[in-house]
Amino acid sequence: MKTRIPILKLNEVLIVSIQWELDDQTAIQFQEDLLNKMHETAALGVVIDLTPIDFIDSFIAKVLGDVINMTGLMGAKVVITGIQPAVAITLIELGIRLNNVMTALDLENGLDKLNKELEA
């Protein structure tokens, strides 16, 4: 059975807390699940919490960058929270730019930031 990353809906926002290191298959499944959930719920924003993730490889980094770009194409704002130093370094070294993406230190601050952005 495939492991799936839970995607919670809170008002018009989807919350994703990735709690374990991703393998390639789980990352692809997450991408598909998140985009389908966005379509079903017409979510206006997504918070992706990466706090427990200490390391990502190049494939996972690419999928994460793609998910963020696809989410934007579907009209939602994105906040990434809890990026660890090694993950930030990997994203930059691989040339993955998170343009137009808000970041926050933790999930609570990320939700606050996204809600203020959606109210504007």
Side-chain angles (χ1 to χ4, degrees):
M1 181 166 164
K2 289 189 247 176
T3 304
R4 285 197 137 109
I5 295 170
I7 302 169
L8 307 173
K9 183 177 183 295
L10 179 65
N11 300 320
E12 57 211 9
V13 174
L14 297 179
I15 302 170
V16 181
S17 182
I18 299 175
Q19 295 294 315
W20 58 87
E21 305 294 333
L22 297 176
D23 59 54
D24 293 359
Q25 185 177 3
T26 305
I28 295 294
Q29 186 66 56
F30 161 63
Q31 177 177 301
E32 189 177 308
D33 288 349
L34 180 60
L35 296 175
N36 285 331
K37 187 83 162 183
M38 287 180 60
H39 182 71
E40 290 167 15
T41 63
L44 300 177
V46 178
V47 177
I48 301 174
D49 182 41
L50 301 175
T51 301
I53 306 300
D54 295 325
F55 168 81
I56 58 173
D57 65 22
S58 58
F59 181 78
I60 302 301
K62 182 191 178 315
V63 170
L64 183 60
D66 289 350
V67 164
I68 291 164
N69 290 328
M70 290 174 193
T71 301
L73 286 173
M74 292 183 70
K77 306 232 181 243
V78 181
V79 178
I80 303 294
T81 63
I83 294 178
Q84 301 296 325
V87 173
I89 290 167
T90 301
L91 290 170
I92 296 302
E93 286 180 347
L94 293 171
I96 295 173
R97 302 285 178 244
L98 304 179
N99 299 329
N100 304 318
V101 175
M102 296 173 283
T103 58
L105 289 177
D106 59 34
L107 185 57
E108 185 178 0
N109 288 332
L111 276 169
D112 287 346
K113 192 176 271 195
L114 182 58
N115 285 327
K116 285 177 185 160
E117 184 72 19
L118 292 176
E119 290 170 4

